[in-house]
Amino acid sequence: MAHEVVLIPGDGIGPEVSEAVRHVLDEAGAPLFWREHQAGQAALDEGGDVLPDATVEAVRRTGVALKGPCTTPVGKGFTSVNVKLRKTLDLYAAVRPVRNLAGVESRHSDVDLVVVRENTEGLYSGVENEITPGVVTSLKVATEHACTRIARWAFDYARRRGREKVTVFHKANIMKLTDGLFLRCAQKVHDEEFPGVDFESLIIDAGCMRLVQDPSRFDVLLMENLYGDVVSDLCAGLVGGLGVVPGANLGDGGAVFEAVHGSAPDIAGRDLANPLALLMSAVMLLNHLGETRSDPDCRASAKRIREAYDRVLSAGLRTRDIGGTLGTRAFAEAVIEHL
Ligand code: ATP
């Protein structure tokens, strides 16, 4: 049985990396069929909204999407499509597994952690005001409901995946109410529901220093929206960069798989982008379908693709961002040859 999956190519390098990934998945015989929908600048150019209702409805209906990055204008223009999609579908958990890949040089060789980010509130609530010319505010929102459910998601994930520890990054010493609530909810969920998983809390600045010094001491990292955005990129830097870190946005309204990186307009349209982060996100998508729809064919395709890109990297075949010479298309072809 083939599963219907929404494909959102996105902006910048999005169309190139999505095309490459779709090609690999099709050649691997993944039991999927694609329903393409637009979002971001591409949707705006087609004369519509940055996040058309048809795109949201398609994700809601199929329950699963593979999404390229969408541009977010800095300081002006439309609000982030990524944030809007996550909020509209209530995809409250962002999960980003960060681990070393064979053949990809990096600062550390023992990284295997997962960043779990609250995806719907915090400073990304987008409630900003100009109080008076020259004075602006941005509201940081934390609700007991959202803090509790993301903590429950992180501990449940840790238990299901056999991970031993959840570390909360926070700044509750300064933001006593908002981060204080986040921390208290995590502690309560741990104490009452998951006492078997280790719990640790660190003030985020000290946590970042320790991450850079010794990432091997971390397992699952749990944090609010903005911290999760920043720390995800920091963690990507520990294992080779943005080209090698996948992600998923999960919630009751669906599951949207996308790389941690953005639209990288500086290299767009030049066959330079690394499609691996989106390919790894597609592998997560297949495993998700394998799990939630009990489809062994999805799991088998995921394994096949993962083994193929591992072989490609081990053979020294890489894109430029991780020290190789291959372009986007050539990398995809190399993976297909190694399937
Ligand atoms: P956006 O505004 O959409 O977030 P950005 O360029 O500000 O885009 P990223 O796309 O996350 O932010 O990337 C930062 C830099 O990292 C890019 O300019 C690019 O040089 C590099 N980069 C990101 N993703 C990739 C990739 N898949 N392959 C190669 N280089 C990448």
Side-chain angles (χ1 to χ4, degrees):
M1 184 188 70
H3 305 271
E4 184 178 359
V5 172
V6 174
L7 180 69
I8 303 172
D11 302 316
I13 59 172
E16 297 161 67
V17 291
S18 326
E19 186 48 42
V21 168
R22 179 183 183 155
H23 190 34
V24 173
L25 266 74
D26 289 348
E27 291 294 321
L32 307 176
F33 70 95
W34 305 102
R35 188 78 67 190
E36 196 168 312
H37 281 275
Q38 299 296 344
Q41 190 64 46
L44 210 55
D45 293 346
E46 279 187 2
D49 190 357
V50 280
L51 183 58
D53 288 345
T55 303
V56 176
E57 278 320 306
V59 181
R60 217 190 290 275
R61 185 176 55 76
T62 58
V64 62
L66 183 66
K67 176 181 165 297
C70 291
T71 300
T72 307
V74 177
K76 57 184 167 49
F78 56 80
T79 52
S80 165
V81 175
N82 310 315
V83 172
K84 202 170 164 190
L85 184 64
R86 292 166 197 166
K87 277 198 198 164
T88 309
L89 293 171
D90 203 19
L91 308 175
Y92 63 89
V95 52
R96 282 113 182 239
V98 182
R99 63 174 80 90
N100 294 108
L101 290 169
V104 179
E105 270 178 40
S106 58
R107 280 171 205 285
H108 298 274
S109 57
D110 47 4
V111 185
D112 179 13
L113 56 86
V114 181
V115 179
V116 176
R117 162 185 175 190
E118 202 290 321
N119 237 354
T120 63
E121 52 181 37
L123 275 169
Y124 284 12
S125 300
V127 188
E128 295 196 303
N129 285 300
E130 184 172 35
I131 303 298
T132 188
V135 182
V136 291
T137 62
S138 184
L139 199 64
K140 175 158 167 159
V141 179
T143 63
E144 193 171 343
H145 168 70
C147 296
T148 301
R149 74 175 173 175
I150 191 67
R152 189 171 287 132
W153 196 94
F155 279 104
D156 181 56
Y157 175 89
R159 189 162 66 186
R160 276 188 289 124
R161 302 288 167 126
R163 291 192 171 261
E164 284 170 9
K165 182 170 71 171
V166 174
T167 304
V168 176
F169 278 8
H170 65 89
K171 198 77 193 177
N173 50 336
I174 307 292
M175 282 167 274
K176 295 180 194 300
L177 288 184
T178 49
D179 281 20
L181 178 64
F182 193 88
L183 183 57
R184 265 202 324 281
C185 291
Q187 180 81 59
K188 187 163 184 273
V189 167
H190 167 262
D191 295 351
E192 293 178 0
E193 302 174 38
F194 301 91
V197 179
D198 288 347
F199 174 78
E200 170 185 52
S201 65
L202 282 175
I203 294 178
I204 187 163
D205 37 5
C208 285
M209 184 199 66
R210 290 199 194 180
L211 253 182
V212 172
Q213 283 181 327
D214 180 15
S216 69
R217 73 180 294 290
F218 294 103
D219 200 346
V220 175
L221 293 173
L222 168 63
M223 61 203 85
E224 62 93 83
N225 213 336
L226 170 65
Y227 304 157
D229 193 4
V230 176
V231 170
S232 298
D233 277 29
L234 186 156
C235 290
L238 298 172
V239 295
L242 287 167
V244 298
V245 179
N249 301 293
L250 307 168
D252 303 331
V256 176
F257 295 80
E258 65 180 331
V260 169
H261 64 71
S263 60
D266 55 327
I267 55 168
R270 296 164 55 199
D271 195 39
L272 289 174
N274 188 350
L276 186 53
L278 192 65
L279 183 61
M280 293 167 80
S281 307
V283 167
M284 289 174 76
L285 180 154
L286 284 165
N287 281 324
H288 170 82
L289 289 175
E291 213 170 293
T292 55
R293 301 189 190 168
S294 307
D295 184 345
D297 292 343
C298 286
R299 282 180 189 278
S301 300
K303 186 166 178 284
R304 208 165 155 227
I305 295 167
R306 191 176 165 171
E307 286 171 358
Y309 71 65
D310 275 343
R311 278 196 290 271
V312 167
L313 294 171
S314 300
L317 298 167
R318 290 168 238 154
T319 46
R320 287 169 198 266
D321 57 307
I322 48 174
T325 55
L326 297 184
T328 312
R329 284 192 292 268
F331 183 81
E333 288 301 335
V335 175
I336 290 166
E337 273 167 32
H338 286 76
L339 280 168

